[in-house]
Amino acid sequence: MDHPIHEIDWRADRVPVSRRFDDPFFSLEDGLAETRHVFLSGNDLPTRFRPGFHIAELGFGTGLNLVAAALAWEAAGIEGPLSFTSFEAFPLSGADARAALAAFPEAAPLADEIAAALEGDGRIETATLSARIVFGDARQTVPAWQGMAGAWFLDGFAPARNPELWEPALLGAVAAHTLPGGTCATYSAAGHVRAALADAGFTVTRVPGYGRKRHMTRGLLA
């Protein structure tokens, strides 16, 4: 592994907090429920799942979003594997990701696969999942990506702390790699994020957020 390890601290209830961005990786209340609300429901999933469906993501983090998507895919019983591509500049160590996921018993079947992918070539291949973590700065790796996604999970750290993942040019690249009728969702309701997504071509809607967050953002590409 030739990329820098993302150093973290641990908060009560085993929540990892980024030293680089001074922000938790998931909700202090219930990270898995938050993921399902923001990224699954925010993209109208699993309703839109079809064979060959492809999810892309900015910010792999602990892999919790991948876990939620993979569980929903399996529960939906769709033929073939779910495709999932995540762009991550500052990956956790495999051990830290495994420790974070230990807070969620449902994540157990994928925890070792995620840890191995973070320590290795970023790939996970099972009967129901074909996933790839693309290491490096998303401002370079997303425009160079050859894929197209039906749904995007925009899960960088808070825009005020991690502005690079919310730059208009990058969100424009997200739109360029979204299929017609595709969607995006993020926990952020920041005005400049919504404006950048709208400028990129998404029809943007502000909807209720999870827990103490009043609002989040959904986008639909015509």
Side-chain angles (χ1 to χ4, degrees), residues 1 8 17 20 23-24 38 66 93 114 127 145 147 165 174-175 179 190 199 208-209 214:
M1 185 170 58
I8 62 173
V17 179
R20 177 180 289 271
D23 214 16
V38 175
L66 171 61
S93 70
I114 287 170
W145 184 44
L165 277 191
V174 165
L179 294 167
D199 288 345
R214 291 179 59 195

Side-chain angles (χ1 to χ4, degrees), residues 4 6 9 40 70 80 154 181 207:
H6 197 148
D9 294 311
L40 294 186
L154 305 181
V207 296

Side-chain angles (χ1 to χ4, degrees), residues 166-169 171-172 190-202 204:
W166 308 93
E167 291 179 359
L171 297 180
H192 68 92
V193 170
R194 290 187 285 118
L197 288 170
D199 288 345
F202 287 98
V204 176

Side-chain angles (χ1 to χ4, degrees), residues 31-215:
L32 194 50
E34 176 187 44
T35 286
R36 286 168 168 153
H37 176 89
V38 175
F39 297 114
L40 294 186
S41 296
N43 282 288
D44 292 324
L45 303 176
T47 305
R48 295 174 52 231
F49 280 155
R50 301 288 185 273
F53 197 84
H54 200 143
I55 294 171
E57 173 182 59
L58 296 184
F60 184 74
T62 64
L64 190 61
N65 297 341
L66 171 61
V67 167
L71 290 172
W73 180 266
E74 288 189 11
I78 308 295
E79 181 181 352
L82 169 68
S83 293
F84 192 103
T85 303
S86 186
F87 298 88
E88 176 59 73
F90 304 106
L92 287 173
S93 70
D96 282 340
R98 189 186 289 108
L101 292 172
F104 307 98
E106 290 171 89
L110 274 174
D112 287 343
E113 297 268 14
I114 287 170
L118 286 167
E119 297 287 353
D121 66 0
R123 295 183 182 275
I124 300 171
E125 297 289 342
T126 74
T128 55
L129 177 66
S130 179
R132 181 187 177 202
I133 308 166
V134 180
F135 301 114
D137 189 329
R139 292 173 294 181
Q140 279 79 56
T141 56
V142 173
W145 184 44
Q146 299 300 307
M148 297 290 287
W152 278 87
F153 297 174
L154 305 181
D155 196 24
F157 288 100
R161 301 176 188 271
N162 183 199
E164 297 83 2
L165 277 191
W166 308 93
E167 291 179 359
L170 176 53
L171 297 180
V174 165
H177 291 270
T178 304
L179 294 167
T183 59
C184 67
T186 174
Y187 63 84
S188 177
H192 68 92
V193 170
R194 290 187 285 118
L197 288 170
D199 288 345
F202 287 98
T203 298
V204 176
T205 308
R206 191 173 68 167
V207 296
Y210 176 77
R212 288 170 288 182
K213 277 200 66 70
R214 291 179 59 195
H215 299 112

